[in-house]
Amino acid sequence: MSVALFTLGGTIAMAGTGVGGVVSRLTGADLTAAVPGLAAIPLDVRDVEAVPSAALTYPQILDLVDAAGAAVADGATGVVVTQGTDTLEETAYLADLVWPHPAPLVLTGAMRNPTLAGPDGPANLLAAARVAAAPAARDLGVLVAFNDEIHAARFVRKTHSTSTATFASPNAGPLGHVIEGEVRLLTRPPRHAPLPPPDADRLTATRVALHTVTLDDDPAVLDLLARDRDGLVVAGFGVGHVPPAFAPVLEAVAARMPVVLTSRTGAGSVLRHTYGAVGSETDLRRRGLIWGGLLDPYKAKVLLRLLLAAGAGRAEIVDAFARHG
Ligand code: ASP
């Protein structure tokens, strides 16, 4: 049994420079040395990046998925990735959409950097390694281990800017917990078949915009936002509503590119056919918007970009959101 550990930076790996705040600079060896009990799990450590997670890109994550897959093919029981928490819900979902292996790929990080009292990185790293090594975690795809909770990548959200309990799955709850060092899975959601990883150049060239509607919003922004884009995600009010003046503008954009309707609320699904006003979910679907279901706007953006980069047409995109949403 061995676990491959890939490090990408983030708060878990941050330390001071003396010139204005902490930056990512600790290596995997530094991180593992700080964790009591981790020596019981053989680790193969690979430092990939040392960046804040705002700097990560889709191609980097897909390269990481390839490297993680190679580690599994070479015999690793599972994989741990450490990175910043800010984009972790998106990187985890991106990886999950294409991860084809039964072995777990487990992401973690920290909210308190190692220079603070009570840094959470060591405990999170230990929990993630335990999950990655656990037979019970196989066939669950990409997971997030944080604060001794285990979350599915497709459900997890960063819900707080500073709390060590920031990761939650508002629609589903955690899949399980790490209790006294033991991995306890409470539920096993069925996996979706992995999507084919897109060509890196096509992925880089594929642009998807996201707009969150707000009270008394200006629809003119949509034309600017959608210009030279391949797709648009709209984070609507509540169950998928927009101001009435947005409806014809969105209809025109939806005639040119896929536009996916999601909710800005943070939990729950957009509806299909309950409300009938102009700008309601029923109206927007009639105007060609695609139902995003339970996917939050950020995950919808990840899925839409992958689909477009793989050359999916409208029917395939509608079908994929029906399955993944
Ligand atoms: N800004 C940091 C990052 O995402 C936050 C963190 O790691 O928690 O890299």
Side-chain angles (χ1 to χ4, degrees):
M1 175 197 75
S2 78
V3 168
L5 168 64
F6 293 83
T7 70
L8 298 180
T11 293
I12 191 169
M14 290 196 184
T17 60
V19 287
V22 292
V23 295
S24 292
R25 55 193 285 199
L26 302 181
T27 64
D30 296 328
L31 298 188
T32 54
V35 186
L38 190 59
I41 302 173
L43 288 176
D44 176 11
V45 182
R46 305 161 199 206
D47 294 311
V48 182
E49 300 283 347
V51 294
S53 69
L56 294 171
T57 64
Y58 281 52
Q60 282 174 314
I61 298 304
L62 293 180
D63 284 350
L64 178 84
V65 166
D66 282 348
V72 167
D74 282 348
T77 311
V79 178
V80 173
V81 177
T82 58
Q83 68 154 88
T85 60
D86 288 348
T87 61
L88 193 148
E89 63 193 285
E90 288 158 87
T91 58
Y93 186 57
L94 172 58
D96 190 49
L97 284 172
V98 297
W99 181 246
H101 306 283
L105 173 61
V106 188
L107 282 83
T108 196
M111 294 300 286
R112 292 198 196 120
N113 73 67
T115 70
L116 299 175
D120 52 331
N124 288 339
L125 181 53
L126 182 57
R130 283 179 165 146
V131 175
R138 291 180 71 78
D139 296 309
L140 289 172
V142 176
L143 301 168
V144 173
F146 217 94
N147 202 32
D148 280 341
E149 292 184 343
I150 304 162
H151 294 268
R154 65 196 235 226
F155 299 134
V156 77
R157 302 295 316 271
K158 182 174 181 178
T159 64
H160 196 284
S161 61
T162 58
S163 168
T164 54
T166 185
F167 285 99
S169 298
N171 287 323
L175 301 189
H177 302 267
V178 180
I179 303 171
E180 293 184 315
E182 190 189 335
V183 173
R184 298 279 303 275
L185 269 310
L186 307 174
T187 181
R188 304 183 66 84
R191 290 211 67 198
H192 295 300
L195 300 179
D199 171 78
D201 290 340
R202 281 196 73 160
L203 184 62
T204 303
T206 302
R207 296 284 168 195
V208 175
L210 166 61
H211 178 71
T212 303
V213 296
T214 53
L215 181 68
D216 201 18
D217 209 348
D218 175 8
V221 76
L222 287 177
D223 277 330
L224 292 173
L225 197 62
R227 189 174 300 159
D228 301 327
R229 293 294 178 271
D230 304 292
L232 173 67
V233 174
V234 176
F237 302 123
V239 296
H241 295 176
V242 298
F246 270 59
V249 182
L250 283 172
E251 183 175 4
V253 177
R256 308 200 306 269
M257 66 183 71
V259 180
V260 177
L261 181 63
T262 62
S263 173
R264 70 176 201 169
T265 57
S269 179
V270 287
L271 296 183
R272 286 187 159 111
H273 46 64
T274 296
Y275 293 88
V278 173
S280 67
E281 82 287 353
T282 310
D283 179 47
L284 294 175
R285 289 185 65 236
R286 199 170 44 229
R287 292 175 191 267
L289 272 70
I290 296 166
W291 179 82
L294 284 158
L295 283 181
D296 64 70
Y298 310 117
K299 290 187 184 62
K301 190 174 177 210
V302 172
L303 178 58
L304 182 57
R305 187 166 169 194
L306 268 196
L307 292 168
L308 285 167
R314 183 184 161 82
E316 281 172 88
I317 292 171
V318 169
D319 184 54
F321 275 92
R323 275 182 286 117
H324 290 265

